[in-house]
């Protein structure tokens, strides 16, 4: 799973800027990024409500971890990963500094 720096979805999840928005004004995106609520809780526990660059990078990494966990809920993924036929890897490419952060 590859995340990327300056991710708008992760930023929206972290800031909650679209929560309770009507569908035509971003509400449909808010429903989708609710999948990242647990990731947001982890980041807020570490950084508080300070939404600086470090918190945003942490949110991007937590988002990738959430995606990996979601993939592992599929029985076919569980079976193949358990048999060593599939390996899941997470990473975030930080566009601004050109660094690949492998989780």
């Amino acid at each position: 799973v590859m995340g990327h720096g300056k991710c708008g979805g992760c930023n929206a999840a972290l800031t909650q800027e679209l929560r309770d928005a009507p569908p035509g004004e971003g509400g449909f995106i808010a429903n989708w990024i609710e999948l990242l609520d647990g990731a947001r809780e982890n980041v807020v526990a570490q950084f508080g409500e300070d939404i600086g660059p470090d918190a945003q990078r942490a949110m991007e990494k937590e988002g990738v971890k959430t995606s990996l966990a979601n993939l592992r809920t599929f029985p076919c993924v569980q079976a193949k990963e358990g048999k060593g036929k599939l390996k899941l890897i997470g990473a975030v490419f930080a566009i601004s500094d050109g660094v690949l952060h492998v989780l």
Side-chain angles (χ1 to χ4, degrees):
V1 174
M2 177 71 76
H4 62 89
K6 309 285 185 186
C7 177
C10 285
N11 185 60
L14 188 57
T15 62
Q16 300 287 289
E17 65 190 35
L18 299 176
R19 187 169 293 281
D20 300 323
E25 296 175 22
F28 66 94
I29 295 171
N31 293 336
W32 176 67
I33 61 173
E34 282 180 1
L35 294 169
L36 296 175
D37 283 352
R40 181 188 187 277
E41 290 173 11
N42 293 341
V43 173
V44 169
Q46 183 178 358
F47 293 93
E49 294 294 331
D50 177 24
I51 311 291
D54 291 337
Q56 290 193 359
R57 176 70 47 85
M59 184 67 201
E60 292 154 6
K61 290 178 180 179
E62 287 295 321
V64 169
K65 291 177 187 178
T66 297
S67 293
L68 289 168
N70 286 341
L71 283 170
R72 289 185 171 114
T73 66
F74 290 88
C76 61
V77 172
Q78 292 172 6
K80 288 186 180 193
E81 190 175 31
K83 293 178 183 176
K85 294 183 176 186
L86 175 68
K87 184 174 182 178
L88 298 179
I89 300 170
V92 175
F93 181 64
I95 296 168
S96 61
D97 54 13
V99 176
L100 179 65
H101 300 270
V102 179
L103 307 181

